[in-house]
Amino acid sequence: MQPTYLWALLSLAVPLLIHLLNKGDVKTVKVGSVKFLRESDTKQSRKIRLHELFLLLLRMLLLGLIILYLAEPRWKTKVQKVALTYLIEPSLASNEAFMAFADSLPQNDIRWFAENFPDLEAEVDRGTVPTYWQLAQSLTEIHSDSIVVFTKGLAKGIKGPRPVVDPNVRWVIVENETEVVEPIGAKIIGDSIRLFEAKSSSQITDLQANMLSKNDASVVSLTADSLVWNASGETTKVPILQNDTLHVTVAFDESYEREMWYVTSALKAIGTYGMREIKLKTMDADALPETGKPLDLLVWLKNGNVPNISQTTLAMVPDSLANSLIEPTESKNLFHLTGRLNIENTITKNFTNSLASLLLFNSTLEDNLIERDQRVLPETEFTPNVATSESRMKVRTMDISPWIWLAVFLVLVAERILSKVRKQ
């Protein structure tokens, strides 16, 4: 509903005022006698006034219907509710123990916890983790006195703001004992291969890197694009990550010269232990980054405005309340260096690791790691907010916009016909 638009109903007074103030063009016709004209004139005037009044009402009704449509009115309807509804996350279908338990539930109303909440007999994607909170906002579509949701409660399914749901919804997180250890990417470094593995359980998700020779027995085949790797009798194909040279520019003025030395030292360590070639360039206070040149990271150690570029930028913006030395901002490619650097905070706050995460970020590894994430959120963090008595779920309503448009069409046709008859 958009009740604010109802204030526009005051505009219905405009055509009424125009009608009352408009007397039309008055012509004076001299005649010898009006004795025989008075009776017919009175009847005709009444008929004209009646038609004009009816036409005015039709036009006001037409305007009122359009305003009503803009206000998006809803019609409350009574719905029959079931006593209890069970919702099951589709990925739990592979859990035999849980499905045996689900079979023992009273067959009141059992559905999949997926888009549109289909029945268990319906085909659903059982491999995709649902967006829990987005689906929670749609629970109003289920007309039930009580709802029980069985879910894995995976962290990767939490997206967007925490919703508010009705207190009759109960969330049950089913224990997830699955542990995933899978290769998700590899880099070719000389005669060796750096293999990245995702290791995830209900408690932690970690990215591990292991070195192996190209001639290792587990290497089935190796191309420029992929590695086929066999471990414990299971063959896996993983993408080869490119080992391109990284270009970093550090712009600084004299007041941040110490920070420049800490940053360049951290970059050298990242290049050595990250096994990536880093081409480093430093600029003084008056220079600006060259356009058209390759640039992966700009470190801006200056006072004043930060260049607005599409490449990743780390700018010095002191913030005494920040929890870490490198903080993200609302802009996707802009990060803030929140404090002056010294030996203590670069060690205790893991400055080099944070800078490495920023510089060596790989979307392929990140996406594959998220896909295999098995971490389970505690129930207190997972459960949506519960509505108060003042903000309970809305009753079911019906959209009456099509009926309003039908009424607009009929009134418009009637108004046009009457206007043509009266030639107005």
Side-chain angles (χ1 to χ4, degrees), residues 81-86 109 142-148 166-170:
K81 293 185 177 181
V82 297
L84 179 61
T85 298
Y86 296 104
D109 186 20
I142 300 177
H143 309 296
S144 178
D145 291 328
S146 297
I147 300 175
V148 179
D166 199 77
N168 69 345
V169 180
R170 174 78 171 107

Side-chain angles (χ1 to χ4, degrees), residues 25-95:
D25 296 331
V26 179
K27 293 183 180 181
T28 302
V29 179
K30 294 181 179 181
V31 295
S33 174
V34 295
K35 178 180 179 181
F36 302 104
L37 298 177
R38 288 177 180 173
E39 185 176 353
S40 62
D41 179 64
T42 301
K43 293 180 179 179
Q44 187 176 5
S45 298
R46 288 177 180 175
K47 186 176 180 181
I48 291 174
R49 283 197 295 269
L50 182 61
H51 278 274
E52 287 182 347
L53 182 60
F54 188 50
L55 190 59
L56 173 65
L57 292 176
L58 283 176
R59 289 170 177 171
M60 292 177 66
L61 178 60
L62 183 63
L63 180 59
L65 286 172
I66 294 175
I67 295 172
L68 189 63
Y69 170 77
L70 294 175
E72 299 179 3
R74 313 288 293 185
W75 187 270
K76 292 183 179 180
T77 59
K78 295 182 179 180
V79 293
Q80 186 175 1
K81 293 185 177 181
V82 297
L84 179 61
T85 298
Y86 296 104
L87 299 178
I88 299 175
E89 182 178 329
S91 59
L92 287 172
S94 60
N95 188 329

Side-chain angles (χ1 to χ4, degrees), residues 4 18 111 123 131 146 153 200 204 241 244 249 267 283 341 345 364 382-383 414:
T4 306
I18 294 175
R111 311 184 190 183
E123 290 294 329
T131 50
S146 297
S200 182
I204 190 172
L241 309 175
D244 299 333
T249 297
L267 290 170
M283 301 190 311
L341 299 179
N345 63 12
T364 301
F382 175 84
T383 306

